């Protein structure tokens, strides 16, 4: 599939901005949607009771289960209060009785017991629309009338729709705020290009703006039509209905936990109970040996014996609850990391620190709700509901989105445990797509060691719906390597080493060449870290990006995406094009990594060097492995000298080489210790993974050289270029062709240098 650059990716965003109807066309969505959601979430079914034999009296009852109790009031409540009181003694025929009978009957409230709710929840999970036979059977079992069961299921379905719509509404509201901000910026840009007196364009672009305006009007009409469709889906209006912002204010002010209590039948006590059960399972999973965990003779990795797991913990067969067939991924890894216990525990409790600790794995993360803040300064016993989007560093593998509860607990003076576990009701009802991946009790046991070290036992246990994965990455994903404990632990170990080297004040000279001051060293390492974080965000399959597939002349599968930077000082302002391609090479990962980071061989593949020499003017270690370093490179050519900042890192699973050209003057100030936050940088680079096809030894021997377990490498190459310094500009086909040729040429040079042209 090619890219139609006449209507390039994201161009509709700019087109939408030009119309002053933006605010009017979008604002109505959220005003109306809030009313609809508030009404749906607070709905209560009224049940007319059956005729009884008690003097011919008829009772009217309102079904209000414990899951709908709370601050919300429905229209039915108001109606009931306005209908007056019901005479309890219908047998009197005197005038007083007649007066009372003139008043309308007062409704009775009924609360379901916890056991009744639990049983109905269990049936709802299997069948949201039970038939008459199922309702009759359940009503007998619970001692309820069949109509009570019927109305409970109607309420349940209505409430699920309400929470889904609120979630969609929140996303659209965020997008609307973003569009408004970009619209404001673009209007200011257009106004600057026009004469303040007559409104005529002051540059030669005036003619093209008129033609552009026509296109903008067309695009704006299309977008307004889409907005109307969204309004119909989310608002669920009747024709001609009106809505006000204030009507939904109570709904907006409610915390997420109110929905879990009222909609999913989960209160804090139940969530805490689930977290405690998960904690006990994690402790057993982390400490048990055989037969629960069996070490593979070929790979050395531990494999979960699922039969033993089922005997120990029990497991519900996913095929029995209406879900698609799922695969189980379980792994365990133990390592010692260079970090003190309080700092490491804090990095798991703070979502921003957690995301920064695993930049190559986590593309998005958020704390949805704090269920318990824990006790004391160390927040022992803290429970949070969290969301995470987990990625691989390639757009060819879909991300995994998951909601889960995180529970942090101090086991003793030297040990902490952090457990993550998904909750079915949250997974199933917030967004159906999120149920594709869920966490069984996973996490880590952290034990404090001497001299600022910690022993970490990491258990990763996932249940994922089977999905199509690109053949190149199928083995590494399905084997559990891509999202398993080994990957998380290797990343944690590398980031902890980086933190230690960043904070160190007694760095040996051999580990810090070319930089005279400690402040300069820290400033460079901080800039390199920001560069790598930016690279990881740019090349994954996160919903941040819209990827389009193009094919190069040499046959590579290339994905391109564009974005517009309006005011981020950390990147160049304008239109940025990112192109990514992943290929397999028959070269061990460590050989490929050493080749790409070696400045002496850089001119063999880097087109920017023009074949000229590349000199390293500074080299700063950021880990024990010699490959973990930040380097400042100087490329000499006849035209000019260019500086490049390079950040290379490697661990037991993954290696990266990230680099970016930097402004010479700005870089010199960073070397002198100045703040690097305002230095614009646009990184490109490589991600290197093992292909997962670990070769078996041909003979049994004690000689290490005969025990080769190295396979090939999965190389992902990414280039980012600034195509235009104006955020209002459109992406051109020439820019796509240029970056396409850049990737093809670089890959060809790498294959030639490594003598694998036929791969």
């Amino acid at each position: 599939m090619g890219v139609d650059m006449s209507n390039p990716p994201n161009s509709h965003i700019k087109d939408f901005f030009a119309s002053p109807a933006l605010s009017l066309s979008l604002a109505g969505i959220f005003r109306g949607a809030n009313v609809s959601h508030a009404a749906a979430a607070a709905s209560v079914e009224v049940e007319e009771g059956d005729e009884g034999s008690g003097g011919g009296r008829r009772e009217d009852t309102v079904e209000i289960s414990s899951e709908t109790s709370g601050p919300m009031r429905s229209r039915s409540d108001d109606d009931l209060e306005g209908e007056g009181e019901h005479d309890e003694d219908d047998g009197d025929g005197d005038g007083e009785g007649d007066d009372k009978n003139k008043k309308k009957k007062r409704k009775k409230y009924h609360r379901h017991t916890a056991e009744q709710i639990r049983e109905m929840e269990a049936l709802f999970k299997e069948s949201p629309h039970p038939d008459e036979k199922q309702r009759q059977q359940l009503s007998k079992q619970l001692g309820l009338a069949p109509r009570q069961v019927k109305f409970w299921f109607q309420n349940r379905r209505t409430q699920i729709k309400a929470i889904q719509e609120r979630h969609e509404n929140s996303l659209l509201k965020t997008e609307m705020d973003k569009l408004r901000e970009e619209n404001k910026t673009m209007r200011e840009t257009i106004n600057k290009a026009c004469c303040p007196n007559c409104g005529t364009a002051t540059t030669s672009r005036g003619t093209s703006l008129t033609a552009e305006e026509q296109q903008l009007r067309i695009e704006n009409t299309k977008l307004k039509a889409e907005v109307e469709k969204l309004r119909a889906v989310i608002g669920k209006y009747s024709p001609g209905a009106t809505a006000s912002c204030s009507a939904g204010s109570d709904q907006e002010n409610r915390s997420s936990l109110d929905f879990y209590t009222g909609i999913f039948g989960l209160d804090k006590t139940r969530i805490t109970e689930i977290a405690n059960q998960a904690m006990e399972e994690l402790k057993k999973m982390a400490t048990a040996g055989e037969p629960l965990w069996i070490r593979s003779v070929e790979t050395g990795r531990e494999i979960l014996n699922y039969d033993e797991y089922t005997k120990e913990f029990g497991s519900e067969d996913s095929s029995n609850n209406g879900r698609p067939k799922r695969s189980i991924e379980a792994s365990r890894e133990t390592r010692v990391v260079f970090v003190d216990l309080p700092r490491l525990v804090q990095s798991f409790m703070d979502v921003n620190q957690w995301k920064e600790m695993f930049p190559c794995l986590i593309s998005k993360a958020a704390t949805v709700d704090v269920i318990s803040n824990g006790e004391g300064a160390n927040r022992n016993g803290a429970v949070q509901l969290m969301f995470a989007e987990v990625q691989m560093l390639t757009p060819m593998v879909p991300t995994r989105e998951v909601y889960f509860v995180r529970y942090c607990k101090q086991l003793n003076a030297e040990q902490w445990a952090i457990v993550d576990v998904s909750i079915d009701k949250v997974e199933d009802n917030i967004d159906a797509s999120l149920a594709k991946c869920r966490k069984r009790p996973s996490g880590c046991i952290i034990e404090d060691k001497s001299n600022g070290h910690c022993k970490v036992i990491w258990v990763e246990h996932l249940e994922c719906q089977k999905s199509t994965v690109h053949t190149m990455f199928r083995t590494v994903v399905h084997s559990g390597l891509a999202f398993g404990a080994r990957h998380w632990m290797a990343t944690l170990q590398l980031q902890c080493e980086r933190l230690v080297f960043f904070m160190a004040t007694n760095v040996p000279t051999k580990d810090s060449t070319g930089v005279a001051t400690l402040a300069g060293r820290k400033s460079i390492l901080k800039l390199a870290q920001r560069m790598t974080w930016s690279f990881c965000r740019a090349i994954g399959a996160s919903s941040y990006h819209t990827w389009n597939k193009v094919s190069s002349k040499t046959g590579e599968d290339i994905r391109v995406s564009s974005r517009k930077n309006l005011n981020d000082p950390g990147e160049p302002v304008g239109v940025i094009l990112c192109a990514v391609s992943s290929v397999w090479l028959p070269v061990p990962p460590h050989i490929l990594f050493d080749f790409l980071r070696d400045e002496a061989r850089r001119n063999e593949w880097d087109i920017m060097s023009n074949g000229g020499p590349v000199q390293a003017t500074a080299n700063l270690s950021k880990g024990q492995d010699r490959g973990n370093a930040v380097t400042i490179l100087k490329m000499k050519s006849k035209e000019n000298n260019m500086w490049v900042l390079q950040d290379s890192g490697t661990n037991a699973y993954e290696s990266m080489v990230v680099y970016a050209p930097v402004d010479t003057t700005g870089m010199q100030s960073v070397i002198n210790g100045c703040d690097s936050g305002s230095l614009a940088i646009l990184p490109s680079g490589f991600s290197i993974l093992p292909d997962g096809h670990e070769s078996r030894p041909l003979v049994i021997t004690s000689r290490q050289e005969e025990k080769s377990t190295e396979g090939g490498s999965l190389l992902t190459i990414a280039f980012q270029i600034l195509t235009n310094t104006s955020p209002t500009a459109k992406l051109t086909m020439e820019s796509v062709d240029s970056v396409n040729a850049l990737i093809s040429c670089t890959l060809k040079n790498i294959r030639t240098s490594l003598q694998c042209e036929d791969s």
Side-chain angles (χ1 to χ4, degrees):
M1 180 179 67
V3 178
D4 181 8
M5 300 314 298
S6 63
N7 187 17
N10 298 332
S11 63
H12 64 282
I13 295 178
K14 186 198 77 171
D15 298 340
F16 192 23
F17 296 150
S19 170
L22 169 66
S23 299
L24 294 177
S25 62
L26 286 176
I29 297 177
F30 305 103
R31 292 196 298 267
N34 286 336
V35 174
S36 176
H37 295 163
S43 64
V44 178
E45 294 292 342
V46 179
E47 177 187 1
E48 296 293 331
D50 294 313
E51 295 253 348
S53 59
R57 187 173 62 184
R58 179 188 179 102
E59 284 190 352
D60 299 339
T61 61
V62 180
E63 286 299 319
I64 303 182
S65 69
S66 61
E67 58 180 0
T68 59
S69 61
M72 296 187 296
R73 292 172 58 85
S74 69
R75 182 180 177 275
S76 300
D77 296 331
D78 299 332
D79 292 344
L80 296 176
E81 290 182 2
E83 288 176 351
E85 302 200 1
H86 176 60
D87 182 16
E88 294 297 332
D89 186 6
D90 287 346
D92 291 337
D94 55 12
E96 182 180 354
D98 292 340
D99 291 340
K100 290 183 178 180
N101 286 334
K102 291 179 183 179
K103 299 181 180 180
K104 294 188 178 179
K105 299 177 182 179
R106 184 178 186 86
K107 311 296 181 183
K108 289 186 177 181
Y109 292 88
H110 173 75
R111 293 184 183 275
H112 296 307
T113 66
E115 179 62 26
Q116 289 172 337
I117 293 174
R118 195 157 37 244
E119 292 296 329
M120 289 190 285
E121 285 282 2
L123 178 59
F124 186 88
K125 189 175 182 181
E126 297 179 4
S127 175
H129 296 270
D131 56 26
E132 183 66 25
K133 182 178 179 181
Q134 289 175 308
R135 292 199 299 269
Q136 289 282 356
Q137 183 179 357
L138 188 61
S139 65
K140 291 180 181 178
Q141 179 183 346
L142 301 179
L144 297 173
R147 295 188 66 193
Q148 290 178 301
V149 176
K150 176 182 176 181
F151 279 103
W152 185 91
F153 275 84
Q154 288 178 351
N155 280 343
R156 188 73 171 85
R157 291 191 294 268
T158 301
Q159 291 157 354
I160 288 174
K161 290 180 182 178
I163 192 63
Q164 289 174 334
E165 290 170 359
R166 181 177 181 272
H167 183 69
E168 294 170 358
N169 186 32
S170 177
L171 295 176
L172 280 174
K173 190 171 184 179
T174 302
E175 184 66 18
M176 186 190 75
D177 293 339
K178 180 181 176 182
L179 291 176
R180 278 179 171 164
E181 185 63 29
E182 289 196 31
N183 186 28
K184 179 181 177 182
T185 303
M186 289 190 172
R187 285 181 180 278
E188 292 174 353
T189 303
I190 292 173
N191 291 337
K192 290 178 182 178
C194 299
C195 174
N197 297 323
C198 63
T200 307
T202 57
T203 67
S204 59
R205 294 175 59 204
T207 306
S208 62
L209 283 175
T210 304
E212 242 181 70
E213 186 177 335
Q214 297 294 332
Q215 183 66 23
L216 289 173
R217 291 181 183 276
I218 295 172
E219 291 292 331
N220 194 38
T221 303
K222 293 179 181 178
L223 286 171
K224 283 198 289 185
E226 292 180 14
V227 165
E228 291 300 324
K229 291 179 182 178
L230 289 171
R231 175 184 294 175
V233 171
I234 296 176
K236 308 289 185 187
Y237 302 141
S238 58
T242 59
S244 66
C245 288
S246 60
S249 60
D250 292 340
Q251 189 79 353
E252 288 298 318
N253 291 333
R254 298 183 63 209
S255 73
S256 302
L257 189 58
D258 289 335
F259 281 93
Y260 309 137
T261 303
I263 300 300
F264 304 118
L266 295 173
D267 55 16
K268 289 186 178 182
T269 304
R270 178 56 182 154
I271 293 176
T272 304
E273 180 184 341
I274 294 173
N276 281 318
Q277 292 172 354
M279 179 66 72
E280 292 305 312
E281 180 173 327
L282 173 67
K283 289 192 289 185
K284 292 180 182 178
M285 290 280 283
T287 57
E290 293 187 3
L292 185 62
W293 292 95
I294 301 173
R295 188 170 295 278
S296 169
V297 177
E298 296 177 357
T299 64
R301 297 198 304 271
E302 290 184 302
I303 302 172
L304 179 67
N305 184 339
Y306 197 69
D307 291 336
E308 289 294 328
Y309 173 83
T310 305
K311 291 179 184 178
E312 179 71 25
F313 304 105
S315 177
E316 181 181 356
D317 187 359
S318 60
S319 62
N320 293 335
N321 56 17
R323 287 178 175 169
K325 189 67 177 177
R326 291 170 175 254
S327 61
I328 304 298
E329 297 177 7
S331 54
R332 184 172 72 174
E333 191 81 7
T334 303
R335 296 197 182 190
V336 175
V337 297
F338 293 91
V339 67
D340 58 275
L341 180 62
R343 181 187 290 271
L344 184 56
V345 172
Q346 176 61 29
S347 68
F348 283 96
M349 292 186 178
D350 187 304
V351 68
N352 292 321
Q353 292 184 33
W354 182 56
K355 186 165 58 173
E356 291 173 358
M357 188 69 79
F358 302 96
C360 59
L361 275 163
I362 303 172
S363 52
K364 292 180 183 177
T367 299
V368 179
D369 221 322
V370 177
I371 299 167
S372 172
N373 279 312
E375 300 176 355
N378 58 10
R379 298 180 61 194
N380 179 27
V383 182
Q384 306 174 76
L385 179 66
M386 302 181 72
F387 166 78
E389 182 185 63
V390 186
Q391 67 171 4
M392 286 184 66
L393 293 182
T394 175
M396 300 175 73
V397 178
T399 58
R400 295 180 173 184
E401 296 180 319
V402 59
Y403 279 89
F404 57 92
V405 168
R406 171 164 292 174
Y407 177 33
C408 301
K409 180 181 179 181
Q410 186 174 12
L411 304 180
N412 53 55
E414 298 180 346
Q415 278 190 331
W416 276 75
I418 291 92
V419 65
D420 299 338
V421 61
S422 294
I423 297 180
D424 288 339
K425 293 175 172 50
V426 177
E427 293 270 329
D428 294 341
N429 298 318
I430 287 184
D431 187 344
S433 66
L434 298 180
K436 292 179 180 177
C437 182
R438 56 190 300 274
K439 278 180 176 281
R440 292 186 176 187
S442 305
C444 56
I445 306 293
I446 307 171
E447 182 179 353
D448 191 17
K449 297 293 185 180
S450 58
N451 300 325
H453 291 64
C454 285
K455 177 185 175 182
V456 180
I457 305 174
W458 194 294
V459 175
E460 197 67 21
H461 196 182
L462 302 172
E463 180 183 323
C464 298
Q465 182 177 320
K466 290 187 175 180
S467 59
T468 304
V469 178
H470 193 283
T471 54
M472 190 186 309
F473 292 92
R474 191 168 297 164
T475 301
V476 74
V477 171
H478 289 171
S479 66
L481 286 174
F483 301 102
R486 182 184 178 191
H487 192 181
W488 288 95
M489 274 301 309
T491 304
L492 176 63
Q493 193 173 41
L494 180 61
Q495 292 299 318
C496 288
E497 283 187 15
R498 184 171 197 148
L499 180 62
V500 169
F501 275 72
F502 176 80
M503 300 299 295
T505 57
N506 55 343
V507 182
T509 305
K510 65 181 181 63
D511 292 334
S512 183
T513 60
V515 180
T517 65
L518 187 62
R521 173 186 168 83
K522 287 189 174 183
S523 187
I524 294 172
L525 290 176
K526 191 173 181 180
L527 175 61
Q529 188 174 42
R530 174 165 66 87
M531 177 179 69
T532 300
W533 287 347
S534 175
F535 177 78
C536 293
R537 283 197 307 269
I539 71 171
S542 171
S543 54
Y544 283 132
H545 315 297
T546 301
W547 294 99
N548 295 279
K549 182 179 176 181
V550 298
S551 297
S552 68
K553 296 179 180 179
T554 53
E556 283 86 9
D557 183 359
I558 300 176
R559 312 294 171 98
V560 296
S561 177
S562 65
R563 65 182 186 275
K564 298 179 180 181
N565 180 31
L566 302 175
N567 49 23
D568 182 4
E571 286 187 341
V573 175
V575 180
I576 297 172
L577 174 64
C578 180
V580 183
S581 182
S582 296
V583 297
W584 176 82
L585 295 177
V587 180
H590 71 274
I591 292 178
L592 182 57
F593 172 69
D594 287 339
F595 167 72
L596 293 173
R597 73 178 185 85
D598 186 359
E599 68 272 11
R601 302 190 65 181
R602 190 182 186 97
N603 56 11
E604 295 181 28
W605 60 265
D606 192 352
I607 298 175
M608 290 193 302
S609 67
N610 293 319
V614 178
Q615 177 186 359
T617 59
N619 188 286
L620 310 178
S621 295
K622 60 184 182 69
Q624 289 184 311
D625 191 289
R626 60 187 178 86
N628 294 322
V630 175
T631 311
I632 300 176
L633 305 175
K634 184 181 293 185
M635 296 185 181
K636 298 180 180 180
S637 64
K638 296 180 180 179
E639 293 80 10
N640 57 2
N641 292 334
M642 180 173 60
W643 284 20
V644 172
L645 179 65
Q646 176 177 291
D647 184 8
S648 59
T650 183
N651 57 46
Y653 173 76
E654 186 174 29
S655 301
M656 280 193 293
V657 178
V658 183
Y659 64 91
V662 291
D663 175 66
T664 304
T665 304
M667 195 64 207
Q668 286 175 337
S669 67
V670 172
I671 293 174
N672 292 331
C674 297
D675 180 40
S676 60
S678 60
L679 184 62
I681 197 165
L682 194 59
S684 300
F686 307 92
S687 169
I688 305 166
L689 300 176
D691 61 6
H693 296 284
E694 295 171 318
S695 60
R696 301 180 182 181
L698 299 178
V699 295
I700 299 176
T701 176
S702 60
R703 296 171 58 189
Q704 291 297 323
E705 60 268 21
E706 299 293 340
K707 290 185 175 182
S708 173
T709 58
E710 296 174 337
S713 299
L714 298 176
L715 174 66
T716 297
I717 176 174
F719 285 108
Q720 294 191 93
I721 60 173
L722 183 68
T723 63
N724 199 302
T725 56
S726 171
T728 60
K730 289 186 176 182
L731 189 64
T732 63
M733 194 62 197
E734 289 76 14
S735 300
V736 176
D737 290 339
S738 297
V739 75
N740 191 330
L742 182 60
I743 285 184
S744 298
C745 187
T746 303
L747 286 175
K748 181 181 178 182
N749 291 343
I750 292 173
R751 287 189 174 109
T752 300
S753 296
L754 297 176
Q755 300 178 357
C756 52
E757 294 93 333
D758 298 332
S759 62

